[in-house]
């Protein structure tokens, strides 16, 4: 009988795929069986069948999955993975994530499967791992408060770096509830936001004892932590998924405490070395500055002028200037004396003292240099060396024999104060010749 609702092949294929992949049992399954029809293609993927007593399951194992080296026809194995439906071929098959030989145990197979899954998601990627702070102020510790691990961590931190504060986030480290408590302790320290680094630690034990540190819940809590985490779970030979996800992995809890803290003794050595290096550098720098200052000082000293020589040169210049001034003064004195002598020779007073006189018209004071400049009866003023005379011009009749007869004047003596002297002129005395015509009026 046909259903009234018609579905396409694709719809049915998608439905089957969703059903298979959402089933809790089929999404995380471990199957034991014998390998048959093994075929590995060029890409590295392996296709085979697991069979037992007439039943078989088609399987695919992609390249790089854990335990692929155990695949061999006829080999009985434990295969861990999940079921899925492949629509192109219309087959349901098992995607194998990990393979172990029979006898290895279910826990080992589950560990391999989970490690392969988390690695594919990038939880182990080295590029996401963060550096541990060099000088942490607060160190969070996720461990049991009653175990020796907590005491060991306290002793190591106190010995190496007592400045750090330890903040314990207590948890069980073994048992069914340990995984949940460890994850909660890590989240609690992140919520507080005080710690600079977190140590997740536990002592050694069997695979069953350490299984809580291999749980997916703990791995995702460590991956989601915003604070760098150092894992120190078990002994050096024990490697858990928590170690793979953590930012740093230590072989023991004590080694984890050492990774999370600097060594104060080494710090003292480093500080002393840095101080010695700084002292050496400063000493070298000071020596270079001192050498530079001395060099500059020598250069300045070489450039300082010779004051003594300059003083002597100034004295020489002063003596030369004084001598030059004196010589110039003597020459000037001689020039002045010569000019004075020349002026004295040209002094009209001296000329008058030698018997010469200066005749002027009384009317306008003009000096007579020719008889034609005066008419008869014109008053004249005659200047002598020791006084003056007043006279009246008169031209005598010209003789036929001479055209240059002198002017006859009636002279009235005049005292030096300008009053006419009563002394008469002697009859028959000859008048002294006047000044030469070339004499200029100098008075």
């Amino acid at each position: 009988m046909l259903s009234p609702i018609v579905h396409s092949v694709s719809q049915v294929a998608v439905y089957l795929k969703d059903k298979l992949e959402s089933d809790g049992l089929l999404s995380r399954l471990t199957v034991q069986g014998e390998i048959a029809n093994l075929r590995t293609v060029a890409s590295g993927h392996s296709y085979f069948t697991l069979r037992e007593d007439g039943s078989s399951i088609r399987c695919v194992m992609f390249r790089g999955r854990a335990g692929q080296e155990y695949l061999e026809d006829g080999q009985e194995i434990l295969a861990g993975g999940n079921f899925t439906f492949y629509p192109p071929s219309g087959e349901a098959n098992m995607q194998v994530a990990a393979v172990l030989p029979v006898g290895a145990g279910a826990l080992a197979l589950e560990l391999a499967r989970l490690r392969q899954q988390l690695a594919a998601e990038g939880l182990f990627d080295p590029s996401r791992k963060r550096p541990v702070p060099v000088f942490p102020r607060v160190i969070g510790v996720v461990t049991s408060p009653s175990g020796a691990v907590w005491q060991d961590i306290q002793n190591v931190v106190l010995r190496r770096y007592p400045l750090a504060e330890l903040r314990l986030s207590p948890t069980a480290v073994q048992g069914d509830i340990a995984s949940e408590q460890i994850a909660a302790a890590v989240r609690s320290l992140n919520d507080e936001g005080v710690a600079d680094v977190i140590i997740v630690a536990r002592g050694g034990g069997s695979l069953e004892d350490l299984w809580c540190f291999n749980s997916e819940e703990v791995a995702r809590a460590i991956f989601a932590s915003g604070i760098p985490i150092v894992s120190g779970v078990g002994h050096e030979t024990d490697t858990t998924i928590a170690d793979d996800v953590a930012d740093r992995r230590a072989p023991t809890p004590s080694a984890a405490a050492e990774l999370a803290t600097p060594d104060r003794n080494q710090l003292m050595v480093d500080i002393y070395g840095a101080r010695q290096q700084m002292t050496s550098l400063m000493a070298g720098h000071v020596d270079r500055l001192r050498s530079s200052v001395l060099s500059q000082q020598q250069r300045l000293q070489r450039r300082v002028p010779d004051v003594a020589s300059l003083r002597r040169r100034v004295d020489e210049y002063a003596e030369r200037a004084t001598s030059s001034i004196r010589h110039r003064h003597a020459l000037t004195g001689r020039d002045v004396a010569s000019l004075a002598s020349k002026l004295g020779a040209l002094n009209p007073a001296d000329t008058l003292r030698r018997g010469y006189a200066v005749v002027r018209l009384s009317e306008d004071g003009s000096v007579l240099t020719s008889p034609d400049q005066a008419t008869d009866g014109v008053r004249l003023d005659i200047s002598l060396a020791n006084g003056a005379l007043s006279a009246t011009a008169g031209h005598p009749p010209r003789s036929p024999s001479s055209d240059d007869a002198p002017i006859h004047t009636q002279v009235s003596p005049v005292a030096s104060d300008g009053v006419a002297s009563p002394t008469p002129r002697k009859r028959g005395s000859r008048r002294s010749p006047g000044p030469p015509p070339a004499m200029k009026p100098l008075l």
Side-chain angles (χ1 to χ4, degrees):
M1 182 176 179
L2 296 177
S3 171
I5 301 176
V6 178
H7 299 280
S8 67
V9 175
S10 298
Q11 288 176 331
V12 175
V14 171
Y15 177 80
L16 290 174
K17 181 177 176 66
D18 291 341
K19 278 295 184 179
L20 287 174
E21 294 181 356
S22 62
D23 187 278
L25 175 62
L26 299 179
S27 64
R28 194 166 185 172
L29 187 66
T30 301
V31 179
Q32 180 177 343
E34 180 184 340
I35 299 176
N37 303 320
L38 176 63
R39 179 170 57 94
T40 302
V41 297
S43 62
H45 307 323
S46 297
Y47 300 90
F48 58 93
T49 302
L50 277 180
R51 64 187 181 183
E52 180 190 18
D53 297 335
S55 298
S56 64
I57 300 174
R58 297 183 67 86
C59 300
V60 57
M61 189 174 189
F62 297 119
R63 181 184 60 185
R65 298 297 188 262
Q68 196 169 15
E69 65 274 14
Y70 299 123
L71 297 181
E72 184 179 350
D73 279 333
Q75 176 72 35
E76 190 170 359
I77 63 170
L78 293 174
N82 61 286
F83 265 84
T84 184
F85 183 80
Y86 188 57
S89 62
E91 295 179 346
N93 54 36
M94 180 178 179
Q95 287 187 1
V96 179
V99 170
L100 285 176
V102 172
L107 286 180
L109 182 61
E110 175 61 19
L111 178 60
R113 185 201 65 78
L114 181 58
R115 179 174 275 115
Q116 187 69 40
Q117 175 189 342
L118 297 179
E121 294 182 20
L123 270 68
F124 305 154
D125 190 357
S127 63
R128 58 156 294 273
K129 296 183 182 295
R130 297 154 296 185
V132 176
V134 180
F135 302 106
R137 294 172 298 177
V138 179
I139 300 174
V141 180
V142 176
T143 191
S144 173
S146 59
V149 171
W150 171 232
Q151 190 63 42
D152 292 342
I153 291 175
Q154 292 182 81
N155 293 336
V156 171
V157 173
L158 182 62
R159 170 175 54 85
R160 288 175 58 86
Y161 194 64
L163 296 177
E165 175 189 349
L166 290 176
R167 185 180 295 271
L168 176 64
S169 184
T171 179
V173 292
Q174 184 175 341
D176 296 336
I177 63 173
S179 297
E180 181 181 350
Q181 289 189 2
I182 294 171
V186 172
R187 289 192 292 267
S188 176
L189 288 174
N190 275 270
D191 292 340
E192 289 182 3
V194 177
D196 299 307
V197 63
I198 297 174
I199 297 175
V200 177
R202 186 202 186 282
S206 64
L207 180 59
E208 290 79 4
D209 294 337
L210 301 178
W211 187 253
C212 57
F213 292 95
N214 289 316
S215 68
E216 183 176 355
E217 185 176 8
V218 171
R220 297 195 181 279
I222 294 176
F223 180 78
S225 174
I227 302 172
I229 291 182
V230 177
S231 175
V233 178
H235 298 301
E236 187 170 358
T237 56
D238 300 322
T239 302
T240 65
I241 290 179
D243 294 329
D244 295 334
V245 181
D247 296 287
R248 292 291 299 274
R249 187 250 175 181
T252 63
S254 297
E258 292 180 355
L259 281 176
T261 56
D263 185 2
R264 65 175 176 179
N265 294 327
Q266 185 61 44
L267 288 177
M268 294 298 295
V269 172
D270 294 341
I271 291 173
Y272 179 77
R275 185 180 66 180
Q276 292 293 102
Q277 184 179 8
M278 183 65 69
T279 302
S280 177
L281 290 175
M282 290 300 296
H285 185 62
V286 170
D287 289 341
R288 288 192 295 272
L289 290 178
R290 183 182 291 109
S291 299
S292 177
V293 169
L294 291 176
S295 176
Q296 296 295 333
Q297 184 178 5
Q298 292 174 359
R299 291 178 60 188
L300 288 175
Q301 288 176 351
R302 289 194 296 268
R303 295 184 180 184
V304 170
D306 187 356
V307 178
S309 298
L310 293 177
R311 286 177 177 175
R312 292 185 60 181
R313 188 174 300 178
V314 169
D315 292 340
E316 292 176 359
Y317 288 159
E319 291 177 359
R320 291 180 185 178
T322 302
S323 176
S324 177
I325 291 173
R326 288 176 179 172
H327 179 67
R328 181 63 59 86
H329 185 269
L331 292 178
T332 303
R334 287 196 295 269
D335 292 342
V336 170
S338 176
L339 290 174
S341 176
K342 291 179 180 180
L343 288 174
L346 298 176
N347 191 353
D350 291 343
T351 302
L352 294 178
R353 281 191 290 271
R354 291 197 300 270
Y356 292 94
V358 177
V359 181
R360 294 184 179 84
L361 293 176
S362 298
E363 182 179 357
D364 55 8
S366 59
V367 178
L368 297 180
T369 58
S370 172
D372 296 338
Q373 291 181 260
T375 59
D376 292 342
V378 173
R379 297 289 295 172
L380 303 174
D381 293 329
I382 302 174
S383 297
L384 303 174
N386 294 323
L389 296 175
S390 296
T392 301
H395 290 78
R398 293 180 178 271
S399 61
S401 58
S402 177
D403 293 334
D404 298 325
I407 300 174
H408 293 278
T409 60
Q410 295 180 355
V411 179
S412 299
V414 179
S416 60
D417 56 1
V419 180
S421 172
T423 305
R425 177 183 177 187
K426 293 183 179 182
R427 295 178 61 88
S429 62
R430 295 188 62 181
R431 184 170 174 264
S432 299
M439 183 176 178
K440 300 296 182 181
L442 298 179
L443 295 179

